[in-house]
Amino acid sequence: MNLLTELGWMLTDPFMQRALLAALLVGASAPVVGTYLVQRRLSLLGDGIGHIALTGVALGWLIGAALGVAPEAFAVPGAVVAAVAGALAIELVRRRGRTSGDLALAIMFYGGIAGGVLLIGIAGGSNGNLMQYLFGSISTVSGSDLVLTVVLSALILVVGIGLRAALFSVSHDEEFAVASGLPVWLLNAMVAVVSALTVTVAMRVVGLLLVSALMIVPVAVAQQLTHSFARTMGTASVVGVVVCVTGLTITYFQDVSPGATIVVLAIAVYAVAAAVRPLVARRGPAADPHPDLPDDVELPPGPRARTDQEVCT
Amino acid sequence: MTERSTEPSTRPEPVIEVERLHVHAGASHILRGIDLTVRKGEAVALLGANGSGKSTLVRALVGTVAPSHGTVRLLGAGLDADRVPWERIGYVPQRAGARTGVPSTAAEVVASGLLSGRRWWLPRGWRARVRTALDEVGLADRASSAMHVLSGGQQQRVLIARALVRDPDVLVLDEPVAGVDRPSQEAFAASVRRLVGRGVTVLVVLHELGELTELVTRAVVLRHGRVVHDGAPPRPRAAHDAVSHRHVHPHDDEARRPAPLTQNPVNGSTEEVAS
Ligand SMILES: Nc1ncnc2c1ncn2[C@@H]1O[C@H](COP(=O)(O)OP(=O)(O)O)[C@@H](O)[C@H]1O
Ligand SMILES: [Mg+2]
């Protein structure tokens, strides 16, 4: 049996089909949101939200146990609600004053984990139940999981790509956005909500502990290759899809953690891009970066001053 | 109104109206009762020493600083209550914002000037408009350069292009030519001249009138958060003296001697500063 037939078998496996579709959507959407977070220097926001989402998972578990239904049923909705609330809270703190945003994020890191462990115990579960959310469980994606993933990813992509001009303006220069009459508060809240949704969607694929890596590392790769915001976003999205699908395919053949494989792959791509960049940058025509303008100072005539060219300011 | 509207002496409608504007930041009282009206077609220079409140006034005008007292109206719309037509107002802040985590090209930054409260998406044909605006500031060939590789003066010109790209009826510029070389200043003056010729109203914060001396129809001088002169532009020599004198003057000077509330002629103000 050669590799192609093996891949063919993989594609006929319904579990694998669902997992691949989920990985594809998450790989495409997480870096789109990550681009805005990196632009705002909020690279760690995804981690903060991920920790809060863990409390949400446990809270959902607790509610499920109290209602006497399957405890997992409310885990993902709980994560969505907690993540959105947490992201909006961080955004509020950020608006109040930039210095305390860092502390708020730290408090959410610790509070999120502690709350999750505490609540899962009260719900009668064990920390082991949290593992699948912390490290991902893409091989067990069910039909209804997939529907939720498709709907949320579509929402993330519609907001992240459809509103990219306005979100760029707000993230690039908030003062100018205000002076343009853009609804800055609403747009910032949208970034927060979309970040929260990304975390909960990617939770199944790479796990809460590695969600942020999937949002940030592809952006770091793209930054090695381009200086344009739009191209950074596009490249990061392509890198996200490639590493997610490739990583998942590897785990079909090798019994390794999908989330960790995807993130290690992404970092490997980053290392390659960083190594290749100097070689690429040196290629291309050597352009004179100096504008062809007259000097601000009068130069006395002399052998070194040729006023018609090569004089730059 | 006794004047007929066809008379050239008829005063055009006000574009910027500031009444009894006070701005506080924490304990400091930055603007202390500013009254200022700029009418359609005027080119007004806002002068004053560092820290006199020029940027704060401009930022209160465009809504990025909240007044603690008083009202601001732009194109007849109150900043607090009405819907201001922001797409008709071009704003050039004093400095490019802090460098963001993801680089962006000059064209992308200029394109963000096409958005407003009514338009969250780039309009059709935005590329051509961005190119025209960059051409206006002499940077057409740097459209795809990253902002952070441009020089400070070039970045400043990108910000001017970002304000021009929306084809504004009102331009508010905060020290647009600080750190910009002489030829670019001349090019900027030529752009402003063209705009004023088209009927655009201009309020520009300047350190010295420089290339814009001929263009400016009126000068407003701020000192310690108050308007100390509103009238004919000071002659270059006097203005230069005044500016250099104020440079060496400590800001807490006011604690000892309150700045006069009345609007002084320029010659008078020069003497007072020197006192
Ligand atoms: N957010 C703020 N908090 C405290 N002080 C401020 C703030 N913004 C401006 N100031 C102070 O107000 C004064 C006027 O500032 P500014 O309007 O930037 O002056 P200008 O533009 O005329 O140089 C300065 O002394 C400045 O330090
Ligand atoms: Mg200033």
Side-chain angles (χ1 to χ4, degrees), chain B residues 25 28 30 49-56 94:
Chain B
S28 51
I30 302 176
N50 286 153
S52 56
K54 306 182 298 292
S55 294
T56 307
Q94 186 165 7

Side-chain angles (χ1 to χ4, degrees), chain A residues 169-182:
Chain A
S169 180
V170 167
S171 309
H172 177 77
D173 186 346
E174 195 167 306
E175 184 176 344
F176 183 78
V178 170
S180 299
L182 284 170

Side-chain angles (χ1 to χ4, degrees), chain B:
Chain B
M1 290 267 275
T2 51
E3 295 162 323
R4 278 174 296 148
S5 57
T6 49
E7 288 276 325
S9 63
T10 304
R11 305 179 83 188
E13 74 260 31
V15 167
I16 298 171
E17 295 163 275
V18 177
E19 265 177 47
R20 310 198 159 282
L21 179 72
H22 289 259
V23 170
H24 287 84
S28 51
H29 194 172
I30 302 176
L31 296 185
R32 312 178 166 198
I34 304 273
D35 288 292
L36 174 67
T37 304
V38 178
R39 294 178 183 277
K40 188 172 179 342
E42 276 191 300
V44 177
L46 190 56
L47 306 169
N50 286 153
S52 56
K54 306 182 298 292
S55 294
T56 307
L57 173 54
V58 160
R59 294 171 73 207
L61 283 180
V62 297
T64 62
V65 160
S68 40
H69 219 272
T71 57
V72 175
R73 298 176 73 79
L74 285 180
L75 295 161
L79 235 52
D80 43 1
D82 302 320
R83 206 177 159 80
V84 178
W86 290 109
E87 63 279 359
R88 293 174 57 197
I89 297 157
Y91 169 54
V92 180
Q94 186 165 7
R95 265 177 289 278
R99 194 180 153 188
T100 50
V102 175
S104 42
T105 64
E108 285 173 328
V109 172
V110 173
S112 66
L114 287 167
L115 305 180
S116 71
R118 293 177 196 187
R119 179 181 286 287
W120 297 13
W121 292 270
L122 292 177
R124 203 166 284 195
W126 63 273
R127 280 170 213 278
R129 289 177 68 178
V130 166
R131 186 152 280 276
T132 310
L134 276 168
D135 203 19
E136 181 88 28
V137 298
L139 287 175
D141 56 331
R142 304 311 296 265
S144 52
S145 295
M147 272 302 263
H148 68 266
V149 306
L150 297 179
S151 77
Q154 287 171 330
Q155 289 183 12
Q156 191 67 43
R157 282 146 66 193
V158 172
L159 299 193
I160 294 173
R162 179 177 67 174
L164 293 180
V165 73
R166 60 177 64 161
D167 233 332
D169 294 330
V170 187
L171 258 184
V172 179
L173 310 109
D174 196 348
E175 302 207 22
V177 288
V180 170
D181 61 28
R182 203 57 186 242
S184 304
Q185 286 194 29
E186 282 162 15
F188 170 72
S191 297
V192 173
R193 189 172 297 122
R194 260 198 306 281
L195 292 164
V196 170
R198 288 213 308 255
V200 174
T201 310
V202 177
L203 176 67
V204 54
V205 176
L206 292 172
H207 224 57
E208 44 193 56
L209 289 174
E211 301 292 332
L212 292 176
T213 311
E214 321 286 84
L215 261 157
V216 165
T217 53
R218 199 175 120 206
V220 173
V221 181
L222 288 192
R223 193 193 308 158
H224 295 318
R226 290 195 175 91
V227 175
V228 293
H229 169 77
D230 185 348
R235 286 192 313 265
R237 188 65 224 164
H240 195 82
D241 273 350
V243 166
S244 57
H245 272 283
R246 284 186 208 131
H247 270 306
V248 296
H249 237 257
H251 189 264
D252 58 2
D253 158 75
E254 200 192 29
R256 285 181 271 117
R257 188 179 51 79
L261 275 164
T262 48
Q263 299 182 347
N264 297 356
V266 166
N267 321 357
S269 78
T270 314
E271 279 166 23
E272 276 190 28
V273 171
S275 69

Side-chain angles (χ1 to χ4, degrees), chain A:
Chain A
M1 227 170 13
N2 62 16
L3 188 66
L4 276 182
T5 46
E6 292 246 19
L7 287 175
W9 276 112
M10 181 184 82
L11 291 177
T12 53
D13 180 347
F15 276 105
M16 204 56 194
Q17 285 170 350
R18 287 200 290 268
L20 277 173
L21 186 56
L24 184 83
L25 289 169
V26 169
S29 53
V32 167
V33 178
T35 307
Y36 295 114
L37 297 188
V38 175
Q39 192 192 14
R40 296 161 167 245
R41 301 195 176 285
L42 284 174
S43 301
L44 292 179
L45 183 70
D47 281 310
I49 297 174
H51 287 59
I52 300 163
L54 191 70
T55 296
V57 165
L59 204 59
W61 201 286
L62 191 63
I63 291 170
L67 296 180
V69 292
E72 280 119 330
F74 287 100
V76 172
V80 172
V81 170
V84 169
L88 287 173
I90 294 174
E91 172 59 25
L92 275 178
V93 171
R94 200 181 71 85
R95 288 199 71 71
R96 286 282 179 78
R98 273 152 206 283
T99 46
S100 49
D102 173 48
L103 275 179
L105 213 55
I107 289 168
M108 289 193 172
F109 268 55
Y110 312 134
I113 292 277
V117 171
L118 204 62
L119 288 176
I120 200 83
I122 295 173
S126 71
N127 291 347
N129 295 126
L130 289 180
M131 283 306 184
Q132 56 172 313
Y133 300 100
L134 281 173
F135 294 103
S137 57
I138 191 164
S139 47
T140 60
V141 172
S142 69
S144 59
D145 283 340
L146 191 63
V147 169
L148 190 67
T149 303
V150 169
V151 170
L152 292 184
S153 304
L155 192 64
I156 293 163
L157 287 172
V158 163
V159 172
I161 295 178
L163 287 179
R164 74 176 177 285
L167 294 178
F168 168 81
S169 180
V170 167
S171 309
H172 177 77
D173 186 346
E174 195 167 306
E175 184 176 344
F176 183 78
V178 170
S180 299
L182 284 170
V184 169
W185 194 92
L186 183 63
L187 292 168
N188 280 333
M190 278 186 188
V191 172
V193 169
V194 160
S195 306
L197 295 182
T198 307
V199 166
T200 45
V201 167
M203 176 171 82
R204 289 314 291 259
V205 177
V206 291
L208 289 171
L209 284 181
L210 291 173
V211 158
S212 203
L214 193 54
M215 295 164 85
I216 303 305
V217 178
V219 180
V221 174
Q223 282 204 21
Q224 299 293 320
L225 308 174
T226 174
H227 278 325
S228 138
F229 181 83
R231 271 197 297 249
T232 298
M233 185 177 273
T235 309
S237 196
V238 169
V239 170
V241 168
V242 169
V243 296
C244 279
V245 171
T246 310
L248 194 62
T249 307
I250 290 172
T251 60
Y252 183 74
F253 299 105
Q254 297 289 322
D255 188 18
V256 284
S257 154
T261 308
I262 289 168
V263 172
V264 167
L265 260 182
I267 292 173
V269 173
Y270 173 76
V272 170
V276 163
R277 177 162 86 146
L279 308 176
V280 177
R282 235 179 286 140
R283 263 190 0 207
D288 181 6
H290 309 112
D292 201 6
L293 288 175
D295 247 338
D296 271 0
V297 291
E298 288 287 342
L299 292 181
R304 298 185 62 183
R306 290 193 291 146
T307 48
D308 52 344
Q309 55 171 321
E310 285 193 347
V311 173
C312 46
T313 51

